[in-house]
């Protein structure tokens, strides 16, 4: 399985089921005009550790911004997100977009309103999350800024998560 270390990524890193067993460590990930830093889509046995994830969606005009996004249409397990520094996600001008979906900003985002699969063995620990911004306009323009958000709206399976030692 791929193991990445010590580099700068301009854009996002996506780990799909082919990325199961991957470790992403020591990166600086930045994506000012994009919506994502790291996407874990259906992968299991993944470790995201010791990264600096910054400037995600900081220049977007509309849509949502997520530093780390975990989503999938099949069950996922053993995902560790630890020791990362997450900062400057989204911006105060982030506006709602029906075509892009939403207008919120999140440091770590697990699932979404349509997520349908279980996530087990999830550990979110010892991360530092700062400067998460979204529009402060009234609802439907402004949607919210979150350090850690677990949204399991459409799921029938369980989410087993340990969240500890994070600074937000």
């Amino acid at each position: 399985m791929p193991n990445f270390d010590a580099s700068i990524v301009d854009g996002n890193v996506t780990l799909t089921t082919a990325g199961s067993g991957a470790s992403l460590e020591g990166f600086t990930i930045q994506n000012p005009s994009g919506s994502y830093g790291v996407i874990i889509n259906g992968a299991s046995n993944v470790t995201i550790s010791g990264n600096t994830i910054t400037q995600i969606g900081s220049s977007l005009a509309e849509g949502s911004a997520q530093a780390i996004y975990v989503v999938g249409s099949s069950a996922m397990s053993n995902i560790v997100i630890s020791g990362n520094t997450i900062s400057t996600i989204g911006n105060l001008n982030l506006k709602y977009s029906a075509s892009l979906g939403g207008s919120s900003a999140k440091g770590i985002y697990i699932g979404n309103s349509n997520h349908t699969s279980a996530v087990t063995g999830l550990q979110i620990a010892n991360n530092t999350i700062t400067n998460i911004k979204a529009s402060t306009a009234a609802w439907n323009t402004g949607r919210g800024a979150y350090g850690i958000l677990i949204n399991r709206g459409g799921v029938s399976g369980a989410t087993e998560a340990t969240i500890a030692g994070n600074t937000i």
Side-chain angles (χ1 to χ4, degrees):
M1 292 303 129
N3 289 301
F4 307 99
D5 54 33
S7 187
I8 296 176
V9 176
D10 288 316
N12 67 56
V13 174
T14 301
L15 300 173
T16 61
T17 53
S20 289
S23 175
L24 181 68
E25 299 180 31
F27 274 83
T28 295
I29 300 168
Q30 51 199 23
N31 195 3
S33 60
S35 295
Y36 304 99
V38 176
I39 304 167
I40 302 168
N41 188 348
S44 292
N45 303 310
V46 172
T47 299
I48 308 298
S49 179
N51 300 289
T52 297
I53 304 170
T54 187
Q55 299 289 332
I56 307 300
S58 57
S59 65
L60 280 178
E62 60 183 15
S64 293
Q66 289 78 225
I68 299 174
Y69 182 37
V70 178
V71 67
S73 58
S74 60
M76 295 175 286
S77 62
N78 304 317
I79 297 172
V80 176
I81 301 169
S82 68
N84 298 288
T85 300
I86 298 170
S87 66
T88 314
I89 310 303
N91 67 75
L92 292 177
N93 297 314
L94 205 55
K95 300 288 192 261
Y96 175 76
S97 168
S99 64
L100 296 174
S103 64
S104 60
K106 302 120 184 134
I108 299 172
Y109 186 28
I110 311 300
N112 62 42
S113 297
N114 300 315
H115 192 110
T116 59
S117 61
V119 178
T120 58
L122 172 65
Q123 296 178 42
I124 302 172
N126 304 314
N127 299 286
T128 299
I129 303 171
T130 60
N131 201 20
I132 310 297
K133 295 181 179 181
S135 174
T136 57
W139 174 256
N140 214 12
T141 297
R143 291 279 177 121
Y146 309 91
I148 299 171
L149 176 60
I150 297 179
N151 184 356
R152 305 292 301 191
V155 74
S156 58
T159 295
E160 296 174 12
T162 301
I163 302 172
N166 298 286
T167 301
I168 301 174

